[in-house]
Amino acid sequence: MPDKPFDFSVPPPSPIASGRRSCVTNDDVLSEFLQHSLRVPDLVLPDKVFPRQNFIDNPPKLDFQLLSSMENDSLSNVVDSIARIGCFQLVNYGIQAECIRSALASAAGIFQLPPEKRTAVTRSPEKLYGFEEAYGEEDGEGEEFVWCKGEGLKLAMETIWPVGYSNFSDKMETLLSEIEKVAEKILGIIRQSFPPKTGYENGVMEGQGAMGSRCHVYRHNGEKCSGTLRYDVIRMLIKGFDYSHALCLHVCDGSSEFHVYSKKGWVSFCPDKDALVITVGDQTQASSGGQFKHVIGRPIYRGEEEEYISMAFLYSPPSVTTTGRVDPQKGNTISVSQQAMAAIVLTLVYYILVHLYNKF
C-alpha cells in the first residue's frame, strides 16, 4: 500500500486588526525611543594637556649672611613665598664662586663619555645613581647624571672614566660639604615657622634617606629647549624626583628662566644672578603638615652656547628614621632580616622567662 505524502499545509495567517499600526510604523517609534533614551553625551577634551604657565615676579631673596639680624617681616615674606609657590632665592650664601665654577666645569666631562661606556652606569630601580636616559624629543636636547658619595658609583665610574672621575668627585664632595652647611641652617629656620608634626620630627619617612644628600647634574642645550619643557612637565606629573628630600638647592647661574612645577600649576621667573634657588621637598611638606607643598624646579637656558651645566642638590638631614633604623651614612645599619631575627629571639626569651616564673 503506497505511503501517503506528508501534509505541509500551514494555517492561514491571522487577519490584521484595523486599529493596529504597520511594522514600518512600529519600527519608527522604536527608533525614536532608542534615540532619545540612549543618547550618548558629547565628549569635550581640553585643548591643552599641560598646565598653564604663569610668569610671576621674582620670589623674595634671603640674605644668608644676615639671617641672625633679619627682621621678622623679611623672614615672613620668604615663608609666604614658600607656602605660595614652594621656593625662594638665597644670596650671599658664603660659597666661593670658584668652587662652584670648578665643579660645573669638571661635570661637563661626564657627558663626553660615549654611550657604550655609559651603559654600565645607567640608573635603574635598584641603582639610584648614574646616567639617566636622555630627555627631550630630539637627540642632544639634554642629559642627566645623578651623583652621590658611595663606593658603588665610585668603582663603576673609575672603570669607565679613570682619569677624570676622581678629580670630578673630589670637587663635588667639596661643594656638597658647603651646600649641606647652608641647607642645614636654612632648614632650621624654615622649621621654626611651623610646630613639629608628630612622627615627622626629623622630616624623614620610612625607607628614605638611605643615600644621604645627592646631586642631579644636568646638561642643557641652549638652542633646543622646547622639547625639554614638555619632558619636564610630563615628568613632574608622572614621576617627579624619585628620592625623598627636605630641600633642593639649585645651582643655575646664567639661566634664562626658572620653572617651578607642582600639582597646583606651573610658574616661572627670571632668577637673580649668582642666587641659589631653593625648592621644598616632600619631607618638608610632611613635617609642616602640608603647609609647604613639594615642588619640582628646573632652570631653562636659552642662548647661543652649545651647552650649559646646572646642578640640583637634594638635601636630607642626617637623622634616625621613624622606624628606628640608623642612616647608613652614619653606619650601623640594621636590615629587615636582622630586625625579624631580633623579634624572634625576644619572643623566645619572653616565653622562657614566663615559664621560669611560673615554675619557681
Side-chain angles (χ1 to χ4, degrees), residues 84-96:
R84 183 166 45 89
I85 61 174
C87 75
F88 65 97
Q89 299 185 95
L90 185 69
V91 297
N92 296 330
Y93 36 85
I95 302 177
Q96 296 295 327

Side-chain angles (χ1 to χ4, degrees), residues 194-195 197 283-293:
F194 56 82
K197 185 176 176 61
Q283 294 177 11
T284 302
Q285 174 176 319
S287 59
S288 68
Q291 178 181 347
F292 301 142
K293 301 298 183 182

Side-chain angles (χ1 to χ4, degrees), residues 113-305:
L113 293 172
E116 58 270 17
K117 289 188 175 182
R118 300 186 189 188
T119 304
V121 198
T122 301
R123 291 189 64 197
S124 66
E126 298 79 21
K127 187 171 57 180
L128 298 180
Y129 57 76
F131 291 96
E132 187 72 79
E133 294 183 1
Y135 58 85
E137 294 180 352
E138 301 177 8
D139 293 337
E141 286 195 15
E143 296 176 284
E144 178 181 352
F145 177 82
V146 181
W147 174 88
C148 66
K149 293 191 296 184
E151 288 299 320
L153 176 61
K154 182 178 179 181
L155 292 175
M157 287 300 298
E158 287 182 346
T159 301
I160 64 174
W161 194 28
V163 178
Y165 183 75
S166 178
N167 179 51
F168 163 72
S169 184
D170 290 343
K171 293 180 179 179
M172 288 296 295
E173 288 189 19
T174 301
L175 179 56
L176 175 62
S177 176
E178 298 297 323
I179 288 287
E180 287 181 332
K181 294 176 184 177
V182 173
E184 182 181 5
K185 190 169 184 178
I186 293 298
L187 184 60
I189 293 176
I190 293 176
R191 287 180 175 176
Q192 292 177 4
S193 62
F194 56 82
K197 185 176 176 61
T198 304
Y200 294 95
E201 288 81 359
N202 294 319
V204 181
M205 301 184 69
E206 180 180 357
Q208 302 294 348
M211 292 177 60
S213 301
R214 68 176 183 171
C215 178
H216 289 242
V217 183
Y218 300 95
R219 185 192 70 82
H220 309 263
N221 190 324
E223 298 179 351
K224 299 178 181 179
C225 61
S226 60
T228 304
L229 291 179
R230 290 190 289 270
Y231 169 85
D232 284 340
V233 177
I234 293 174
R235 175 172 180 169
M236 183 277 298
L237 293 174
I238 299 177
K239 184 178 180 182
F241 280 126
D242 53 5
Y243 179 75
S244 178
H245 61 285
L247 296 174
C248 184
L249 292 79
H250 301 266
V251 179
C252 54
D253 188 36
S255 60
S256 305
E257 298 174 3
F258 192 89
H259 292 201
V260 180
Y261 311 127
S262 69
K263 295 180 179 179
K264 289 184 177 181
W266 172 14
V267 299
S268 59
F269 58 90
C270 298
D272 293 345
K273 181 177 176 56
D274 297 326
L276 290 180
V277 180
I278 300 181
T279 55
V280 171
D282 61 304
Q283 294 177 11
T284 302
Q285 174 176 319
S287 59
S288 68
Q291 178 181 347
F292 301 142
K293 301 298 183 182
H294 175 209
V295 300
I296 298 174
R298 188 79 74 245
I300 302 299
Y301 292 83
R302 294 188 176 93
E304 298 179 354
E305 296 185 23

Side-chain angles (χ1 to χ4, degrees), residues 208-212 319-321 325-334:
Q208 302 294 348
M211 292 177 60
S319 56
V320 180
T321 65
R325 286 174 288 183
V326 180
D327 190 334
Q329 284 299 103
K330 299 296 183 180
N332 300 326
T333 59
I334 302 176

Side-chain angles (χ1 to χ4, degrees), residues 15-21:
I16 300 176
S18 59
R20 296 181 61 184
R21 298 183 179 179

